Amino acid sequence: MKKLMILAILATLVLAMAGTASAVDLEAKGKFQFQANFMDNSDFLSAKNNGVQEDDLNFYFRARTQFRFIANENLMSELYVEYKTRIGTASDSSLVDSSSDRTLGIKRVFLQYRFPETEVLTTAGIFSINLPGAAAGSMVMGDLDAGALTISTPITDVIAASVGFIRAYDATSDDSGGVYSTTGSNSKDELDLFYGAVPVTIDGLEATPYFMYGLIGKDTYTAVSGRAGLTAPSAATFTKSVNSWWAGTSFGMTMFDPIVLKADFAYGDLDADQKQNDRSGWGADLSLAYTGMDFMQPKFVFAYTSGEDDKTSNGSERLPVINNDFAFGTYYYGGSALTSADLNSNQQVGQMVLGLSFEDISFLDKLTHDFHFLYIKGTNDKDLIQNNTGLTNISADGNFLTTKDQAFEIDFNTNYQIYDELAAIIEFGYIGMDLDKDTWSAYDTTRDGKEDPALKLAVGLVYEF
């Protein structure tokens, strides 16, 4: 009798859970991709000239899946998992590791809800944070997976508002100074960001002005000093916490459709206790596209970011960058449709870019091509490099360019849509780098001011559902 009662109770619990589960809709979407990347001279130096980027052919597999648990239109949560490997590594190859286990990581996990009977939307957890970027992504912060709390709401049919708090970094959960200590080595080891944005949308025009304040704790220096986007040319250990702020706007205009204009402006400032740790600068970009043709979309692109002067004592004159998501083209600045098939460095500010793209070129069903040409020139003072060696996070590998350096990039990409969900992609890229030998030879004697063109051929399959 007891066994029957236990079985009856278990059956009731199972039925109850099934009833509860049916009240939540589960949606899944994701992207699986497998590819071969041929990348030659990614540091713009060949093996014969002491280059180190000569393991040319690599294979990658990446799987991302988003699970959304939707209670109703006002409440949902998401679990976003990712697996990525370079095929043949120790963790992947049975020749090295007999285990069949594979590491599956949590990329994002958050909940989202609207306050009852309002349009106030709250998102809390770990998710992608993006400052506005209309033309080519954000120069300051884009696609940053971080712990955050954001609240957004429409104000009128034209204006909305969004505010958020982001904990971008926190070394430890205590100050490592003992019980009740306030003098530990990690007492101020957080990097916190607070931002607000006001999207404005009217017929044919849209803009999103924003402001962000950041508090960089003095004990974060070890982490911050490794970030090329936040350091000055001759950075020193922080003596006090650093105050920082950014302001900018994105802008889009479609009122003259099929002519579409997109643009962005950003200014940032890091104010440190020591002048040599200061960093402030600005950046602007725009794209002008013509969308009136069925077989092709031509687009002109331009970007400019302020560059360093010839001194180290006054800090940096480049735009501070948390996580740069800016990309024109599909090679030097990022932008590839395939993983690990581009360069993309936070050093790539202090540059001017002019470009012309022809996108969605199509003469056959399901087959499209993109063509990009970019001319890139540095805006940093050459005397900073000629007069110094070993500057903080400034390398001679073609990511930091002076007014004497230039490069041009050619990309030709092809997408064949085998099914609606499955695409075969081929990307070809070439970057011709021209570094001034007189500027760089003394700065890095191993490279001796030499450079070689970078080449990319990436082939992949992408299944997106």
Side-chain angles (χ1 to χ4, degrees):
M1 188 66 178
K2 286 184 179 180
K3 290 183 179 181
L4 290 175
M5 290 180 64
I6 292 172
L7 287 173
I9 292 170
L10 289 173
T12 302
L13 289 173
V14 169
L15 290 172
M17 287 188 291
T20 302
S22 67
V24 176
D25 293 327
L26 176 61
E27 290 185 359
K29 61 179 181 178
K31 181 185 289 187
F32 286 40
Q33 57 191 68
F34 176 76
Q35 69 200 69
N37 290 356
F38 178 88
M39 306 275 285
D40 195 32
N41 304 334
S42 294
D43 62 345
F44 300 103
L45 205 62
S46 62
K48 67 179 181 180
N49 288 327
N50 297 316
V52 297
Q53 302 291 335
E54 290 303 311
D55 192 0
D56 294 339
L57 182 60
N58 286 287
F59 298 89
Y60 289 89
F61 177 76
R62 188 179 73 186
R64 290 176 169 175
T65 306
Q66 297 168 261
F67 299 99
R68 289 197 167 186
F69 304 88
I70 304 171
N72 53 59
E73 62 182 5
N74 296 313
L75 176 61
M76 69 84 111
S77 61
E78 178 174 300
L79 175 64
Y80 190 161
V81 297
E82 177 184 65
Y83 170 73
K84 177 182 175 181
T85 186
R86 183 174 64 85
I87 304 299
T89 60
S91 61
D92 175 75
S93 175
S94 58
L95 290 175
V96 180
D97 185 353
S98 60
S99 171
S100 60
D101 293 339
R102 300 291 186 266
T103 302
L104 184 68
I106 303 297
K107 182 173 175 62
R108 299 169 192 160
V109 56
F110 63 89
L111 62 88
Q112 189 174 75
Y113 71 94
R114 285 185 178 86
F115 196 78
E117 300 181 7
T118 73
E119 291 298 317
V120 178
L121 182 66
T122 299
T123 306
I126 300 172
F127 53 95
S128 179
I129 311 296
N130 299 272
L131 287 180
S138 174
M139 291 184 178
V140 175
M141 185 174 68
D143 197 28
L144 176 70
D145 291 328
L149 172 68
T150 66
I151 301 172
S152 61
T153 182
I155 298 175
T156 68
D157 292 339
V158 174
I159 300 175
S162 176
V163 296
F165 163 72
I166 306 160
R167 171 138 289 183
Y169 178 79
D170 187 6
T172 62
S173 60
D174 58 59
D175 65 10
S176 301
V179 179
Y180 303 125
S181 173
T182 60
T183 60
S185 59
N186 291 306
S187 60
K188 297 179 180 178
D189 62 350
E190 298 87 13
L191 197 168
D192 290 333
L193 303 166
F194 306 82
Y195 78 90
V198 183
V200 179
T201 305
I202 59 178
D203 290 341
L205 290 171
E206 58 182 28
T208 305
Y210 65 88
F211 178 84
M212 182 169 72
Y213 169 77
L215 182 60
I216 305 173
K218 72 179 184 67
D219 298 323
T220 66
Y221 179 77
T222 301
V224 171
S225 63
R227 303 286 298 178
L230 292 174
T231 48
S234 184
T237 302
F238 297 150
T239 55
K240 290 184 179 180
S241 296
V242 179
N243 291 295
S244 58
W245 62 270
W246 292 262
T249 187
S250 64
F251 176 79
M253 183 172 66
T254 58
M255 64 171 56
F256 299 112
D257 186 46
I259 298 175
V260 177
L261 173 68
K262 296 180 179 180
D264 303 281
F265 176 81
Y267 179 87
D269 181 270
L270 268 63
D271 184 12
D273 186 45
Q274 302 131 296
K275 191 70 174 176
Q276 69 189 85
N277 284 331
D278 288 353
R279 178 164 173 160
S280 63
W282 61 275
D285 63 25
L286 68 84
S287 68
L288 185 65
Y290 181 76
T291 61
M293 292 185 286
D294 294 334
F295 64 93
M296 181 176 61
Q297 178 178 295
K299 181 166 64 175
F300 168 78
V301 299
F302 170 79
Y304 188 98
T305 51
S306 59
E308 302 285 355
D309 64 16
D310 61 347
K311 302 179 181 66
T312 60
S313 58
N314 60 353
S316 170
E317 290 73 39
R318 287 183 291 165
L319 175 70
V321 176
I322 299 292
N323 191 66
N324 195 336
D325 194 38
F326 167 86
F328 283 142
T330 55
Y331 194 6
Y332 184 75
Y333 290 108
S336 172
L338 300 171
T339 186
S340 302
D342 48 39
L343 303 184
N344 187 19
S345 167
N346 283 336
Q347 281 195 71
Q348 295 166 345
V349 285
Q351 298 177 357
M352 181 194 72
V353 189
L354 282 168
L356 187 62
S357 295
F358 298 94
E359 299 177 339
D360 296 325
I361 304 169
S362 180
F363 299 104
L364 297 174
D365 186 39
K366 298 183 178 181
L367 185 66
T368 59
H369 310 278
D370 293 333
F371 174 82
H372 307 285
F373 176 82
L374 300 179
Y375 172 73
I376 306 163
K377 188 172 181 61
T379 61
N380 299 293
D381 195 314
K382 65 180 179 61
D383 290 336
L384 177 71
I385 303 302
Q386 286 185 333
N387 298 337
N388 297 277
T389 58
L391 298 174
T392 308
N393 284 323
I394 293 180
S395 61
D397 60 1
N399 285 298
F400 182 94
L401 302 180
T402 74
T403 53
K404 289 291 187 178
D405 306 320
Q406 59 188 352
F408 66 89
E409 172 181 341
I410 297 174
D411 303 316
F412 185 74
N413 309 320
T414 297
N415 184 300
Y416 177 63
Q417 209 67 38
I418 302 172
Y419 296 106
D420 290 342
E421 302 85 3
L422 180 66
I425 296 174
I426 301 175
E427 293 185 347
F428 170 79
Y430 174 91
I431 304 172
M433 181 60 65
D434 180 16
L435 299 174
D436 182 60
K437 185 176 177 65
D438 292 338
T439 300
W440 290 101
S441 57
Y443 186 81
D444 188 328
T445 55
T446 301
R447 295 180 66 99
D448 193 30
K450 299 184 179 71
E451 81 282 323
D452 291 293
L455 293 169
K456 173 185 78 169
L457 177 63
V459 181
L461 291 169
V462 178
Y463 170 49
E464 193 167 1
F465 59 90

